[in-house]
Structure formats: structure tokens, C-alpha cells
Amino acid sequence: MRDLNIQPLSNADLEWADAVFVGGMRVQMPSMHEVIARAKKMGRRTVVGGPAPSTAPEEFDNADVVFQGEAEGRIDALVSAIESQGQQRVSDSDNRPDVSLAPVPRYDLLELRHYASMSIQYSRGCPFHCEFCDVIELFGQVPRVKSSQQLMAELAALHDIGYRGTIFFVDDNFIGNRRMVKQFLPELTQWQRERGYPFELYTEASVNLAGDESLVAAMVEAGFSSVFLGIESPSADALREAGKKQNLKMDLGEVVDRLTRVGLEVMGGFIVGFDSDTAEVFEAQRTFLSRTPIPLAMVGMLTALPGTQLSRRLEREGRLRTQSTGDQFGRPNFEPSMNERTLLNGYANLMRDLYTADSYYDRCEAYLDRATAPLGRRRIEVRDLLTVLRTSLKVGLIGSGRKRYWRLLVRAFRRTPRFVPWAIVKGIMGEHMIQYTLRDVLPRLERAIEDLTDRTPSPANLAIAPDPLTAH
Ligand code: B12
Ligand code: SF4
């Protein structure tokens, strides 16, 4: 197994194989195509699967076998397609498999030192119906959960190979099936308690989480310290248009405040570029974020992913320009209703403002002032400590927000020393976001704005992909 996010692919990796399996998201398509081409050149049979080919199989005609959808219970069909001659497509039957058929992942194949976090999945599917979402197209609207024993076996597998640290529960919506998750959380708490809380957990959920106090308390008790919420927009019109009804039922600032106060840090996903958005939306997003304690705000431009209700509507309206390519910081892949220059400029300015050192650290301080102190249950490993110290010295000595970083550390220490590790991590993440915005995001958006003089967008400047994390 090779994870191309962290290591290159050598010919030796391909030579021994009977067949080469490639998986990925749309943003990774160029790399997926490159691997397929290399493997084919070496005479290997190629198989492609995962989110990108699941929603747009026709874009993988170069692979020998295109596998759509979830793999559990469908391995026989996959094997027979591999063994058959010529090009094969294993189509998604729309029968959602029982997730408890999933075997325990081979975490032992990973080189742990390359990862800051591990992934585990408890459920698939989400009961909501947001127009731009491809998660419900991929996994359906009836959340399916694993059994507690199965999840404990997965946690134990990570524990047994010596992993300690953060785990991302990569569910589409962790609280999609509230009844089941409420049964599962006490068992998770017990497992964590018996082992001295080896794992700090985070996940994704819909905003109605904040309305269920006992559920939030059970999550905190089990070791969850943050949650990604798809807040999307302070504009009620935009939320209505997106079919995001759950966000209209509660005051979104209040949602963040409540979760923060009880110990769940909110990472927020936001979207601009809905049809009902006007040029005022940028200021509205800025104001919302300046009042809300969300250090990590991920703002994306609306994108029509293949297979979504949004892309079907835009196609009907004759506004779909092309399939999204994978780059988030370019021109939208559909004719926006706002003037495109206003949209791109407004988005670029919003990103610039959100990730100046001052506004980032203001949000961190707002969080610190409201948050419940972390329980500090997890033992800090020497390896973690060295990495954190080395990096934090860099942030504190040459980082662009170094003064604010030290100020945050002192403020954290005064509230309680248990906040200090949090402040160090926020400093490291902040420096990354600030530099990434300056060096990557803004130049790409500027190129897209320059491209507006052309009538047809150049493929390199077309945006795709809602923020990963905007899928809520
Ligand atoms: C975890 C996650 C991340 C993590 C990844 C961490 C890691 N290194 O693993 C992080 C946060 C880094 C991330 C980032 C991004 N993500 Co992401 N992410 C997810 C998430 C929540 C879970 C993925 C997962 O692990 N699933 C668990 C596994 C078991 O399920 P699975 O992947 O579906 O695999 C099953 C089948 O697809 C199939 N299968 C999968 N691969 C293969 C391969 C073969 C050969 C075969 C036969 C079968 C097969 O079998 C599996 C078992 O049934 C999904 C949402 C979701 N629910 O899938 C989004 C999702 C995959 N991400 C998405 C996006 C857009 C992104 C970003 C581009 C966002 C951005 N704008 O920055 C970035 C890209 C980062 C990069 N450059 O690589 C989209 C992809 C949309 C698309 N159609 O391509 C998704 C679907 C969410 C969404 N709708 O917005 N992401
Ligand atoms: S965006 Fe989030 S809440 Fe909406 S349907 Fe998709 S997964 Fe569910």
C-alpha cells in the first residue's frame, strides 16, 4: 500500500503486483490518472474506486476496472471483473451494504510517524438533504452504523500498534442516527477510561447537535474535543436555497457558543456563491466570524460536484460549465448568479481578512475566553512534545503572528496550564493557514480573476470541491 500524500510511488511498488488498485477524490484525479498510466505501461491490470470514480465513472475510461460505490459485500463481483478480459465496470447497485461487513482496517500497514491523526468510521449516510452535497449521493440518507464491538476492535487495532493521539471519526454525520450513537457513546467512554484516554477524538456533525445536551455531554465524556459543523452561511435565504433546513431552526452563533462552553471546539465550514448571495454576503460572513469563537474557519466557494442535486439543477438551467476539477481556488464550475468578478474578489478579500495573524488570533482568544478547560486526560508522548516544541519555537520566533502567538500562550497559561498544549497546536495550525492563504490561495484566486477577461475559463482555473469539511 502506498499513500501518495506522503511518499512517491516507485516502479518497484508496481512491479510485483498482479493488479494495481487506485483510489481517491476528484482533487486527486491527475495523480490517479498518472498512476493508472504508469501501471498500464508496465502491463498491470488497473482498478479504480473511491469517491471520484463513484460519482463520475466515465472520467476513468483509461482504467481496466472501474468500481463504483461501497466495497463491502461486493468483493466477489470485483474479483470476477478483474479476472475477466477487457474493460469492466462494477456499477453501484444502490443497495447500501451493511457497514458491519467492513473488516478492521490494516492500520499496521501505515507508517504512523507520517500522520498527525488517524481515521476511523462509525457510520455512513446522513438524513439531511442539502442540495450541494455528494455525500448523500454516495452513501444515502439512511445512516448505517457499525456495532460497538466492531468499533472497539478497530480502536484496539490502533492501540495495539502503539498509536496514541488524535482520531478523526470520518462519519458523514456522526449524529445521523442519534439513537444508536447514544447507545454507543457510553461504551466508548468506558473503553477510553479503562485505558487512560489514549485517544482524543473529533468528528463531523450537523448543527442540531447543539440542541441535544445529553448527546453533547456524552461525546465530551467519551473524549471528543472538537467537531466540524457545516454552518455554511449567516444568510437564511442561502440556507433555504441549499435545502439546509436544520441550520434555519437554531441561531448559528448560539450553536457555536453552546458547544464551545461545554468543551467541543467548533471547526466551521462556510460557503459563498449561492444564487441568493449578493455582494453583502462577504461582510455578513466576516461579521459572523468576528463574533464567533471559531479559530479554524474553512470558507469555500459553492461548487457543483457530479451527481449532486445542485449539478442536476444547474445542468437543467444551462449553467453548468464543466465537471469540477479538484481545485477549490479558481473560477466556479457553473455560471454564478452574482457577477463573477465580484464573487471572486469578495471571496479572495474574505480569505485574506480571515487569515491575517490578528483576525486568526482574535478568534483563538475568543474561543479561549469562553471554552471549558480541556480535561487533559491524555498523557503527552515525548515524541509529540519534541515535535510540538520544535515547531512552536519556529512559530514563536519567525512566524508571522509571533507576538500574538506568545500572547495566546500566556493567556492560555493564565486560564489554566491545561490550555497550553491547545494554544501551541493552534499556533502551529494558524501559521500554516496564514502562509497557505498568502502563498497558495490568494495567488490562485488572483490568476482566476485575471482569467475573467477570457470568455471560456481555462481548465486550470476552474474550481471544484466544496471544502472537505464543508460537507455539512
Ligand atoms: C476523512 C476525509 C478527509 C481527510 C482525509 C484524511 C486521510 N488522509 O485519509 C481530510 C480532512 C484530509 C480530507 C481532505 C479533503 N477532502 Co475529504 N473526506 C473525508 C471523508 C470525511 C471520509 C473519507 C473516508 O476515510 N472514508 C472511509 C472509507 C472506508 O470509505 P470510502 O473512502 O468511501 O471508501 C469506500 C468506497 O468508496 C470504496 N473504495 C474507496 N477507495 C477505493 C479504491 C478501490 C480500488 C476500490 C475497488 C474501492 C474503493 O471502498 C470503501 C469501502 O466501502 C469523506 C466523506 C466520506 N464520507 O467519504 C470526505 C471526502 C472524500 N473529501 C472530499 C473532499 C472534496 C476533500 C478535499 C478536496 C477538500 C478540499 N477542498 O480541500 C480535501 C483533499 C485533500 C487532499 N488534497 O488530499 C469529498 C470528495 C468529493 C469527491 N467526489 O471527490 C468527500 C466525499 C466529502 C465531500 N463531499 O465534501 N478529507
Ligand atoms: S451537507 Fe452535511 S448535513 Fe447536509 S446532507 Fe450532506 S452530510 Fe448531511
Side-chain angles (χ1 to χ4, degrees):
M1 192 209 65
R2 285 284 172 265
D3 177 351
L4 302 191
N5 283 304
I6 55 162
Q7 60 206 152
L9 184 72
S10 71
N11 283 343
D13 293 330
L14 299 172
E15 263 154 18
W16 65 273
D18 295 324
V20 174
F21 287 57
V22 187
M25 320 177 197
R26 291 190 67 76
V27 72
Q28 293 151 344
M29 277 173 46
S31 161
M32 293 169 78
H33 283 300
E34 203 183 302
V35 176
I36 294 168
R38 271 176 72 185
K40 285 191 85 162
K41 217 165 156 191
M42 292 169 84
R44 299 295 173 268
R45 198 144 168 82
T46 51
V47 186
V48 71
S54 290
T55 50
E58 66 287 353
E59 293 183 53
F60 288 90
D61 282 345
N62 55 340
D64 297 314
V65 179
V66 181
F67 184 90
Q68 280 182 278
E70 299 166 72
E72 290 79 8
R74 297 172 63 214
I75 300 298
D76 288 349
L78 175 60
V79 171
S80 81
I82 295 170
E83 285 173 348
S84 308
Q85 298 294 311
Q87 282 197 334
Q88 303 288 331
R89 189 181 287 186
V90 186
S91 299
D92 193 356
S93 55
D94 257 4
N95 278 336
R96 306 287 173 197
D98 177 356
V99 278
S100 40
L101 294 171
V104 173
R106 291 286 309 277
Y107 292 114
D108 56 300
L109 296 176
L110 299 173
E111 285 182 56
L112 293 180
R113 68 194 163 90
H114 290 302
Y115 298 92
S117 177
M118 283 287 119
S119 297
I120 218 164
Q121 193 176 42
Y122 170 62
S123 69
R124 286 187 203 151
C126 172
F128 295 110
H129 200 59
C130 310
E131 190 191 33
F132 56 80
C133 178
D134 71 337
V135 153
I136 44 175
E137 311 292 340
L138 286 161
F139 305 108
Q141 287 183 267
V142 181
R144 293 157 286 145
V145 304
K146 290 180 184 167
S147 67
S148 302
Q149 298 91 302
Q150 187 180 359
L151 211 91
M152 302 311 161
E154 297 191 13
L155 288 170
L158 275 171
H159 195 257
D160 289 350
I161 56 169
Y163 181 72
R164 304 289 180 272
T166 40
I167 295 186
F168 182 9
F169 270 64
V170 297
D171 297 28
D172 307 323
N173 182 354
F174 184 68
I175 62 159
N177 186 333
R178 281 206 254 173
R179 192 175 58 84
M180 293 308 286
V181 85
K182 278 183 175 176
Q183 281 175 25
F184 159 65
L185 282 168
E187 294 183 56
L188 178 59
T189 303
Q190 192 186 342
W191 190 96
Q192 287 261 71
R193 198 175 283 146
E194 282 167 7
R195 288 159 189 80
Y197 282 87
F199 302 134
E200 186 172 336
L201 314 172
Y202 64 108
T203 190
E204 303 183 290
S206 41
V207 300
N208 53 324
L209 170 66
D212 193 332
E213 270 177 48
S214 63
L215 178 54
V216 176
M219 284 177 68
V220 173
E221 193 55 27
F224 283 88
S225 59
S226 54
V227 62
F228 180 88
L229 298 183
I231 293 173
E232 322 306 5
S233 182
S235 153
D237 287 340
L239 295 173
R240 225 169 276 126
E241 166 194 328
K244 198 121 199 163
K245 294 195 193 105
Q246 67 276 25
N247 287 32
L248 286 161
K249 290 188 181 144
M250 301 175 81
D251 178 281
L252 296 171
E254 171 69 21
V255 163
V256 179
D257 222 62
R258 267 198 225 172
L259 295 174
T260 306
R261 288 186 193 281
V262 294
L264 279 184
E265 178 180 338
V266 172
M267 296 176 272
F270 299 86
I271 299 179
V272 292
F274 289 106
D275 281 359
S276 59
D277 280 350
T278 61
E280 272 86 68
V281 76
F282 306 108
E283 196 48 40
Q285 293 275 20
R286 220 176 258 118
T287 308
F288 180 85
L289 274 158
S290 68
R291 292 186 187 143
T292 325
I294 302 182
L296 293 171
M298 288 112 183
V299 187
M301 243 188 317
L302 184 66
T303 300
L305 284 170
T308 55
Q309 305 163 74
L310 175 66
S311 88
R312 289 192 286 273
R313 169 167 72 84
L314 292 166
E315 192 154 26
R316 277 196 310 276
E317 294 172 1
R319 292 167 60 198
L320 195 65
R321 286 173 171 164
T322 159
Q323 292 295 15
S324 52
T325 61
D327 179 8
Q328 193 181 354
F329 305 110
R331 295 180 63 180
N333 70 327
F334 62 93
E335 207 69 54
S337 66
M338 192 187 308
N339 171 287
E340 195 170 344
R341 188 176 294 278
T342 310
L343 175 61
L344 286 166
N345 273 319
Y347 178 49
N349 290 334
L350 180 61
M351 292 300 284
R352 183 180 295 115
D353 293 351
L354 288 181
Y355 285 102
T356 63
D358 278 335
S359 54
Y360 174 74
Y361 281 102
D362 282 350
R363 294 197 300 277
C364 290
E365 289 183 1
Y367 172 81
L368 190 61
D369 293 345
R370 291 178 178 83
T372 301
L375 296 167
R377 291 182 284 214
R378 191 165 70 81
R379 217 164 30 105
I380 296 181
E381 305 287 309
V382 178
R383 187 183 67 119
D384 292 353
L385 206 64
L386 290 178
T387 316
V388 161
L389 280 180
R390 212 178 33 239
T391 328
S392 87
L393 275 182
K394 259 196 227 159
V395 174
L397 293 178
I398 52 171
S400 52
R402 53 191 178 276
K403 279 197 197 133
R404 295 294 309 258
Y405 172 67
W406 293 116
R407 191 170 115 176
L408 184 71
L409 271 189
V410 171
R411 211 165 161 133
F413 184 78
R414 285 205 182 126
R415 270 218 60 198
T416 152
R418 278 185 281 137
F419 262 124
V420 170
W422 170 88
I424 294 174
V425 171
K426 280 294 161 299
I428 296 169
M429 290 173 124
E431 189 57 28
H432 166 76
M433 294 300 282
I434 292 164
Q435 294 305 331
Y436 174 60
T437 306
L438 278 177
R439 293 190 185 156
D440 217 339
V441 174
L442 296 176
R444 275 149 76 188
L445 283 169
E446 274 153 24
R447 280 199 295 278
I449 293 167
E450 279 163 25
D451 192 51
L452 287 176
T453 42
D454 300 338
R455 280 175 63 80
T456 344
S458 71
N461 286 338
L462 274 166
I464 138 182
D467 192 292
L469 297 167
T470 52
H472 284 282

